[in-house]
Amino acid sequence: MTLRKSLAWMLGLSLAVGIGAVAEAGTLDEVKQRGKLICGTSGSTPGFSTPDSNGKMQGLDADFCYAIAAAIFGDREKVEFVPLTLVERFTALAAGEVDVLARSATNTLTRDASLGIDFSYYNFIDGQGFLVRKSLDAKSVKDLNGATICMPSGTTTEPNLAAYFAKNNLTYKPVSFDTEPQVREAFDAGACDVISSDKAILAAIRTELADPKAVDILPDTISKEPNGPWVRQGDSEWGDVVRWVLYATLTADELGVTSQNVDEMKAKSDGNPPVRRLLGLEGDIGKLLKLPNDWSYQIVKQVGNYDESYQRNVTPLGLPRENTPNALWNKGGVLLSPPF
């Protein structure tokens, strides 16, 4: 190789490394420079993300966004919520319109491998079910042959429904809508006999029906729907932050560290290495994530652990956590955090 070619090759390598360094800076640095997190949510799903009477976003997914802001800035309020429909959600994330997508979105191979986005970890494991009018006198899905079924479009609901009904030699008339509120309004207006979606979505819809007592959610569950936050593909640094924020809420839950006792447990943590690591009193965990060393303390103090968020937001929908996959691994569920 001539000297000129060697210099050209080295220059090209330097440029590639420089471009890689810029890309590596990624979302975390952008969020820090901007001074706030931009979080994509439903914005219309009770229990997960919906504004309260003062316009403040509340719910399990909203709490996760607050937790990320608390970890990065030490201030949970440094977050802007962007409501996204089922059709918009993945495109908005891939296009960089939001930093993280925290709304009902099942992890599937197709989504993970083809949309330019990555799943982080589970914050709610659900399954597809059916909300029916009591007047139908339906006791199971097998009683819904020929029913008109409203459902959200662009979700796993449609293929799940088609496969289940075909397998069981049942027929139905599908009616799809872009948002959960549209599904609810159509059902209330009598456009369909049944709504099919994730059971948590059905429970949320039920709370806003004109007559919630006139409906039932059937016991049948026809799919598994592991939901959780999503990030853009190719930014492992940001992916680590998002995952470990969720892990911190689960670890605090497992260790019994809550927003109410976190200061007491911090003061009395000598001889308790797991608590000390979680609260930033041992090790250099924050530095590894490019976060303040008390990042997980701020999450618990300002937002709470996973169970606090679940009990505050999801349990009131009539969905207890006990004896479900959303319980901790040591309490009969499947949710767990890797060790800190």
Side-chain angles (χ1 to χ4, degrees), residues 7-330:
L7 290 172
W9 179 83
M10 291 175 67
L11 177 60
L13 178 62
S14 297
L15 286 171
V17 170
I19 292 170
V22 171
E24 187 65 24
T27 308
L28 178 59
D29 287 336
E30 290 177 7
V31 171
K32 288 179 178 178
Q33 291 166 10
R34 187 193 304 129
K36 65 179 177 180
L37 173 76
I38 299 178
C39 188
T41 58
S42 163
S44 59
T45 306
F48 291 85
S49 61
T50 189
D52 64 13
S53 58
N54 297 314
K56 185 175 178 61
M57 199 68 74
Q58 303 290 329
L60 188 76
D61 292 335
D63 277 356
F64 181 68
C65 300
Y66 289 128
I68 297 175
I72 296 172
F73 301 109
D75 183 352
R76 59 169 276 165
E77 300 303 325
K78 291 190 174 182
V79 54
E80 175 186 336
F81 290 96
V82 178
L84 296 170
T85 68
L86 295 163
V87 175
E88 297 168 337
R89 54 185 173 166
F90 297 127
T91 303
L93 176 62
E97 295 173 18
V98 296
D99 303 313
V100 62
L101 178 65
R103 65 156 296 160
S104 177
T106 303
N107 183 20
T108 70
L109 186 151
T110 303
R111 290 171 175 175
D112 212 13
S114 67
L115 299 181
I117 58 178
D118 281 330
F119 187 75
S120 58
Y121 187 64
Y122 315 117
N123 78 333
F124 192 83
I125 298 174
D126 207 351
Q128 185 172 331
F130 299 84
L131 182 148
V132 302
R133 301 183 196 282
K134 289 180 179 179
S135 58
L136 284 182
D137 198 29
K139 305 303 180 185
S140 76
V141 182
K142 303 294 177 62
D143 297 325
L144 300 181
N145 190 37
T148 299
I149 303 179
C150 286
M151 69 194 80
S153 61
T155 71
T156 55
T157 299
E158 294 170 291
N160 289 344
L161 199 60
Y164 185 87
F165 271 62
K167 180 181 178 181
N168 289 279
N169 297 312
L170 301 171
T171 63
Y172 69 100
K173 180 182 177 181
V175 184
S176 300
F177 299 91
D178 289 342
T179 68
E180 288 98 354
Q182 289 173 338
V183 173
R184 170 178 52 78
E185 290 165 6
F187 181 83
D188 256 342
C192 49
D193 310 303
V194 182
I195 299 175
S196 187
S197 187
D198 292 3
K199 284 192 167 182
I201 302 298
L202 298 180
I205 288 174
R206 178 173 56 187
T207 66
E208 298 191 319
L209 290 173
D211 186 2
K213 294 181 180 180
V215 300
D216 278 328
I217 295 176
L218 297 180
D220 308 73
T221 303
I222 67 169
S223 72
K224 57 180 183 289
E225 306 294 332
N227 294 290
W230 293 75
V231 295
R232 275 184 297 284
Q233 210 166 58
D235 191 343
S236 60
E237 177 183 81
W238 179 241
D240 287 345
V241 169
V242 170
R243 273 193 308 277
W244 281 96
V245 166
L246 183 46
Y247 292 153
T249 68
L250 292 169
T251 296
D253 184 7
E254 183 177 339
L255 294 174
V257 184
T258 71
S259 59
Q260 299 302 308
N261 69 15
V262 63
D263 289 320
E264 180 183 358
M265 293 195 74
K266 183 178 180 181
K268 298 179 179 179
S269 63
D270 287 349
N272 194 339
V275 169
R276 292 183 64 77
R277 283 193 292 271
L278 173 70
L279 301 182
L281 302 174
E282 280 188 10
D284 226 358
I285 295 174
K287 183 178 180 181
L288 297 176
L289 294 171
K290 292 175 64 176
L291 297 175
N293 224 41
D294 68 346
W295 63 279
S296 48
Y297 165 83
Q298 296 295 341
I299 292 171
V300 179
K301 180 67 176 177
Q302 298 187 40
V303 184
N305 67 29
Y306 179 86
D307 189 64
E308 288 182 274
S309 182
Y310 191 104
Q311 301 303 341
R312 182 167 58 239
N313 298 298
V314 183
T315 298
L317 297 176
L319 298 172
R321 187 182 178 199
E322 294 75 17
N323 302 312
T324 74
N326 295 303
L328 288 173
W329 65 278
N330 57 358

